[in-house]
Amino acid sequence: MDSDEEETLQFHEMGIDDRILEAISKLGWSTPTPIQEKAIPLALQGKDILARARTGSGKTAAYAIAVLQKLLHIKQTASLQATRAIILTPTKELCNQAYRNLLDLTTGCSRDIKCVDISPQLPLASQRPLLMEKPDIVVATPSRLLAHIRAENINVKKTLEMLVVDEADLVFSFGYESDVKELLENFPKIYQAFMMSATLGEDVKNLKKLVLHNAVVLKLEESQLPETSQLNQYHIKCEENDKFALTAALLKLNLVRGKTIFFVNSVNKCYQLKLFLEQFGIRACILNSELPVNSRCHIVDQFNDGLYDYIIASDESITPAHSSKKSVTKQKEKTKRPKKEDKEYSIARGLDFYNVSNVINFDFPPNPSSYIHRVGRTARADNQGTALSFVSIKDNEKLEEVEQALVEDNAQEGQSIFKPYNFKMEEIEGFRYRAKDALQAVTRSAVHEAKMKDIRQEIFNSNKLKSYFDDNPQDLRILRHDKPLHSVKTTKELKHVPEYIVPDALLQLRTRQGQSNLHSSRFRQGRPLSQAERKFRKRKSDPLESFEFAGLAENKKKRRNK
């Protein structure tokens, strides 16, 4: 390879239209990411591309810029309006995300490039007028695009020139195999195709055979997660029952700061954790796969806008890597049509969570792939991030699998990826008792009631208030998803942290003017408290030990004066 080719290409050196360059500048993208640097020039040369790059590496922008540039070039000579590009993604959320990215990149050429999102958010009939205008780009899930083709709402047999399959490793696992095969029968024989994927498994290889022709495979020599200088990965060995006490301690002692995603393994666990945190005065929202897509996107948007700091997500429907043959057979029988309930990857993958400082695996993920996609929500672009995993005894084997996979991925044999989080469980004994009391109130019926209440509220908001929110978009922001569910009685005592349950290590850092309430306390940077000072403060905080009879106190003062 020539030295000129090894030099980093900038966006303005790729032959990109000035209108797209202006949009890129407005988005603040100073230099292309490695996948963008390699994929865009090849795409503009007309090559089929299979790109493997980690989550958050800029794959969406890579194909979006190439598609828009080629469309602008085609429209210089083409006289007829036609749909020439189709972007397929496995989920409605990913469709919405890809559509918004395209809108951001077409701010300077929106009159020339028309793009529509026909993911299954609205009925087919309501989307038909959009397709009748023959937009340049159509974003859809495979099943929804096929439904429109069957209804004769769209015909790309002679006009399609570019096909993009985003998150390609999920297409077959989501049950779209038969849909893709039928779609290809309605596409022309010759078209340019791009496949973007975070992994290169068997599903991707099978899809590659169907979609791509003499493709260039871009497998970037990079780890699937950011370097240790950007992403700190910790684990805490704890018992299952101590996870709740540990979570309360970390949040109430301000040891976890910034926007945080909690991952659990079931929807019910989401509500259990939310109701638990409510009793400590900690508000969190739930990204529930059972809620409508508009509601889920609204929750993510509010989280990205900074309206709340904690979001709880589940990946209940994922199939374990070592599942039994019986379950695998049942899954194969159901692959003819996609499941209505979204799988884990619709939450842990693809969705853009902005400026996430921490990812906490409350429940340890079932396999290395799930771990990578969860942790990939933080330390995106050039931002710093922290991943913290709670590991119980039953999770030790999973931890070893993840560590082995990450070591092989980073080619750092013998070096541990995880750092032990220096937190002594015996120092949060006071939180254990409080957590036990709080958990006793979170019964199964309370979880069920909160879950039903949340779903009923979302249905009410989605249907009856839709027209109102269309006329009053600002009021939609007021609809907060982290409001207390009030299905469990809370006490004021749990919301405050008395000084006697704060670990000594933190007491030593507290300022002389600090208050007992941790929400308003400031930690001191001076010398640590002596043992005598700690005993004196402890005695003063105990009303029984600090009680003095007024008469005796006056006699003591007189003696001191003498």
Side-chain angles (χ1 to χ4, degrees), residues 51-108:
R52 177 266 191 195
R54 65 177 174 84
T55 303
S57 60
K59 297 190 296 292
T60 303
Y63 71 72
I65 292 172
V67 167
L68 293 174
Q69 174 60 32
K70 296 204 72 174
L71 286 175
L72 288 174
H73 179 71
I74 291 170
K75 291 178 79 69
Q76 290 178 358
T77 56
S79 58
L80 296 176
Q81 178 67 26
T83 299
R84 293 184 171 87
I86 288 176
I87 297 173
L88 300 177
T89 76
T91 67
K92 295 168 281 190
E93 290 91 342
L94 287 171
C95 285
N96 186 258
Q97 179 181 307
Y99 175 69
R100 284 184 292 177
N101 288 338
L102 287 166
L103 291 183
D104 290 338
L105 289 169
T106 55
T107 52

Side-chain angles (χ1 to χ4, degrees), residues 294-308:
N294 290 335
S295 176
R296 280 177 285 169
C297 290
H298 182 225
I299 292 171
V300 174
D301 288 341
Q302 287 190 330
F303 179 76
N304 290 338
D305 291 340
L307 292 181
Y308 38 80

Side-chain angles (χ1 to χ4, degrees), residues 20-55:
I20 302 177
L21 290 175
E22 184 182 355
I24 291 173
S25 177
K26 288 181 180 179
L27 290 170
W29 301 345
S30 56
T31 56
T33 63
I35 187 63
Q36 293 166 1
E37 179 192 352
K38 293 186 178 182
I40 293 174
L42 289 171
L44 296 181
Q45 294 173 18
K47 303 284 187 181
D48 281 15
I49 296 174
L50 170 57
R52 177 266 191 195
R54 65 177 174 84
T55 303

Side-chain angles (χ1 to χ4, degrees), residues 7 16 57 71 96 101 105 126 130 160-161 194 233 255 284 302 337 394 416 490 497 517:
E7 294 179 1
I16 298 174
S57 60
L71 286 175
N96 186 258
N101 288 338
L105 289 169
S126 62
L130 298 175
L160 183 67
E161 299 201 25
F194 312 126
Q233 301 179 69
L255 297 178
Q302 287 190 330
R337 299 297 300 170
K394 66 179 183 179
S416 177
T490 60
V497 180
N517 187 348

